[in-house]
Amino acid sequence: MCLFRDMMSYFPEEVLEHVFDFLTSHRDRNAVSLVCKSWYSLERFSREKVFIGNCYAVNPERLIARFPRVRSLTLKGKPHFADFNLVPHDWGGDVYPWIEAMTKNGINLEELRLKRMLVSDESLELLAKSFPNFKSLVLVSCEGFTTDGLAAIASNCRFLRELDLQENEVDDRKGHWLSCFPDSCTSLVSLNFACLKGEVNVAALERLVARCHNLRSLRVNHAVPLEALQKILVKAPQINDLGTGSFVHDPDSETSKKMKNTLENCKSVRSLSGFLDVNPHCLPAVYPICTDLTSLNLSYAPGIYSNELIKLICHCKKLERLWILDTIGDKGLGAVASTCKELQELRVFPSDLYGADNAAAVTEEGLVSISAGCPKLNSLLYFCQQMTNAALITVAKNCPNFIRFRLCTLNPVIPDAVTNLPLDEGFGAIVQSCKGLKRLSVSGRLTDQVFLYIGMYAEQLEMLSIAFAGDSDKGMLYVLNGCKKLKKLEIRDSPFGNAALLSDMGKYETMRSLWMSSCEVTYGACKTLAEKMPTLNVEIINEGEDQVEASSSPDARHRVEKMYLYRTLVGPRRDAPDFVWTL
Amino acid sequence: MLSDNPRPGGALISGRPMSILSREEENDDNYMVISSEESSSYPDSELELGLALSLGGGGKGKSKPPAAAAEAAAGGVYWERYARILTAEDFRSVVSTKAPSSSSSSSSSTVTKANNNSTNGCCGTKRTAESPTSPPGRSPISQVVGWPPVRTYRMNSLANAKSPITEDFFSATDKCKSNNVITSLDNKTNNGGIVTDNSTANEKVFVKKSLFVKVNMDGIPIGRKVDLNAHSCYQTLARSLDEMFRPSVSLLAKRSSVEETLRLLDGLSEFVLTYEDKDGDWMLVGDVPWQLFLISVRRLRIMKKTEANGLGPGSHEKNRRQLTVHI
């Protein structure tokens, strides 16, 4: 031991730094920085990419103090359930203070990746004007900005390589943001504006693509029609990842034929998405690129019937990732299972959110077929009409490699469709078989038993989502006591209360966050927890029906509607709105 | 002020009794409430009422089934077909049927739970389950916030998504003989529509959601509502509006009947059909392809031609083959 330590100290710092360069995962770098003081110091000056999973766990000042050479920052803001309207919009997660602080401290920011953050046009403008080497902006599930902000980015970021907008709510200001890319901009590698709702200047887009010879990824929005896309693709045959806009045309027309020819020329396309508006009869135009496709996302295309989907998928033998709507049906999933032997990730989204009896939805049969045909499957998101324990047990046997397993029954408390029992045994089989499971979402009728299984077997579990499940505090306790690697726990509408919350308060310091809404925890218990654990921020979201007047202090027995707690190094946040109380 | 009952009954969704899965403050594309924020201030905004949770007769008291549903002769989706996810009624039916004897303990505990839930309502939705108003077997009008857990963005996209553009669409628009569909610019469009693929006949027809917007006509005090998704082109819409308003016009004009149609689209009658788009601008109906129109329309207004100066009387006659592209 001693010898080893001495040997390491003989290495000059430059060598160690060079070694550290090979460590790309932030976890590895975090681990390295804990070894000793000199490694800590070395590591922090050489770290260029920083990942902050909860923007309120630290603050911009601390980030800059520790990592002065940071070039790439990833930030996540709102809790996950914000995606489903459980968190008010102005809850927080504003990126502006981060950008401002980095500007003031001369950080040479090149890349910013944000998820569930509040991004204003001012933030984007400041970003665009402050960092001359800025190269990459990725916004996922963010809001607060308009196309004016995008115009600022386009105009000012001379070396922009990547502008990737995924599922953001963007206000369209009718400006011509695309036209704001100057003629001198030739550096774009990735451009994704599929989520924008408004018109774009198609001619400007064409010119932009023509001069960006390194463009690898292009995802357009619905306002770009098929004819225009065809012309654009002629200028970009090197494209790797294509997201179509509107794919509607008369399939017998010249344009459709041209599209097919153009696509035949795009021999590098490996990822296909879009079809935001589609005439299924036009789909054969994409068959030429299907053979080498590894990723296919048709989850925004409700207009394609199962048979047409099957015809398309039969060409995609190399598919590794498939995102689809449940219109594919169990039969369609059977076709996927026979064709896509390399499949690793499958997401089946619900197409009809309004009908209770959706004949086109998928059931446990589809999932079983997939598991039988695709042994490499490791990631699943499956919205289904019904499920059975037997099916889950079979799936667990067929696919022991799951890393992510998220099952959502459309009726959140539906029991086993055949036996009417809870789905405890099925999920139990999954956690027992899949030793590498890191993320799990359960649904359907579930008792405390499923949590006993999860606590016992899910040793690698990092994120667990629970809704309408369990009978008593025991359920939550099984999880808290058993899952040693748990980082994020989110629970809604389940009968877990104070006893479970307070049993092991230290546990929360080992986790990133805990969300509990519509459970049985009371104000008093939350207050106790906050008092005993100063390294946690215990926030109560106080709104709506449950609203308590600010002046009065609620009764300790008052049930808390929404609680979000997270570990932090910087104490209560100063930007919490009125309705968020940090206890 | 703290209420004695920490779980007030009635309203279903914590904090948002009216909105379902949308953000009414800023999102123009609320998938159910298509009219803009202004319309929510109208006293008889049946659209919102229809969506309001009528369970338990509580909520905000305006829980009658929307009259607009009956009025929607254009035949939109039945109002009752909402995303009913669960109520205690569901639990009872689920649990009470064939409870297996082998796991009596779990079944009894679930039964107890269901019963308990109707009173202490530990789950968000069960609060309303006291007196479900819908008949058994029918989907009650209720909703769970955030279930199924699908990102708002995706929800809105699906809601705004049009029904599949199958060969029916093309033949319907052929009948409309308008060029507002994205047709090819060459001569190969076959008049009879695309050759039918028989397989589609067996597929479930994708039901369009209703897209009700208000329609007001100059000179007529009472407005109407029309379901845009019940139409596939401007012609049928114009016909429908004509049927709606002609009786009122004749009444106003004190004539026994109005012989001619209002001829809303051809620019020759005394009225023009306009719409307010999501930016708040008033535009002439008919310029953009139908699908694009559906995305941006907020409400309609039948204007007197004399009032419509700024909109340009000839503008709707420009070539509809081309998509509107802003340069």
Side-chain angles (χ1 to χ4, degrees), chain B residues 35-255:
Chain B
S35 13
S36 67
E37 295 82 3
E38 296 132 51
S39 66
S40 59
S41 65
Y42 282 81
D44 58 347
S45 49
E46 294 136 306
L47 211 57
E48 287 87 334
L49 293 181
L51 297 172
L53 312 152
S54 59
L55 274 186
K60 303 295 183 195
K62 308 181 216 167
S63 55
K64 61 185 190 326
E71 206 179 57
V77 176
Y78 287 118
W79 282 100
E80 292 90 4
R81 275 186 80 228
Y82 286 146
R84 189 272 312 166
I85 301 296
L86 78 155
T87 61
E89 192 70 359
D90 284 332
F91 298 124
R92 290 194 202 110
S93 64
V94 154
V95 169
S96 59
T97 57
K98 34 182 177 135
S101 51
S102 54
S103 54
S104 51
S105 59
S106 62
S107 64
S108 59
S109 68
T110 50
V111 169
T112 324
K113 184 182 177 203
N115 289 335
N116 282 342
N117 287 337
S118 62
T119 48
N120 67 21
C122 71
C123 297
T125 58
K126 297 170 197 170
R127 293 175 208 161
T128 64
E130 266 84 351
S131 49
T133 54
S134 63
R138 259 294 190 66
S139 308
I141 301 172
S142 71
Q143 204 124 39
V144 177
V145 177
W147 199 272
V150 172
R151 266 191 195 152
T152 319
Y153 173 80
R154 186 178 285 281
M155 290 272 203
N156 291 341
S157 290
L158 267 187
N160 289 332
K162 313 302 171 286
S163 70
I165 304 174
T166 62
E167 84 296 348
D168 295 329
F169 170 75
F170 279 101
S171 51
T173 50
D174 280 341
K175 282 185 211 126
C176 287
K177 68 167 177 69
S178 78
N179 296 326
N180 61 4
V181 78
I182 305 163
T183 54
S184 59
L185 297 178
D186 59 44
N187 306 327
K188 291 197 132 191
T189 325
N190 39 18
N191 289 326
I194 311 303
V195 172
T196 326
D197 179 0
N198 284 330
S199 61
T200 61
N202 297 329
E203 298 288 348
K204 172 188 160 203
V205 172
F206 214 84
V207 179
K208 285 188 217 185
K209 314 298 175 282
S210 308
L211 186 65
F212 278 93
V213 296
K214 291 185 193 253
V215 192
N216 289 87
M217 180 161 172
D218 285 1
I220 294 175
I222 300 191
R224 304 292 304 266
K225 268 191 177 172
V226 65
D227 178 8
L228 293 179
N229 267 343
H231 302 276
S232 52
C233 63
Y234 291 114
Q235 264 71 6
T236 62
L237 173 63
R239 216 178 305 135
S240 187
L241 292 177
D242 181 66
E243 279 163 17
M244 258 188 211
F245 284 99
R246 224 178 336 142
S248 321
V249 170
S250 73
L251 210 65
L252 264 178
K254 294 185 176 62
R255 289 186 282 209

Side-chain angles (χ1 to χ4, degrees), chain A residues 11-23:
Chain A
F11 282 112
E13 289 188 352
E14 291 79 14
V15 175
L16 274 178
E17 252 187 67
H18 186 64
V19 171
F20 292 170
D21 272 349
F22 291 98
L23 299 171

Side-chain angles (χ1 to χ4, degrees), chain B residues 266-267 272 284 305 308-317:
Chain B
D266 62 8
V272 283
L284 266 184
K305 203 156 163 202
N309 279 335
L311 298 177
S315 59
H316 67 272
E317 277 159 344

Side-chain angles (χ1 to χ4, degrees), chain B residues 13-33:
Chain B
I13 293 174
S14 50
R16 290 174 195 252
M18 286 305 197
S19 84
I20 310 295
L21 290 166
S22 57
R23 299 171 292 164
E24 38 195 11
E25 311 89 80
E26 56 175 283
N27 190 356
D28 275 352
D29 293 329
N30 289 347
Y31 54 79
M32 290 272 190
V33 182

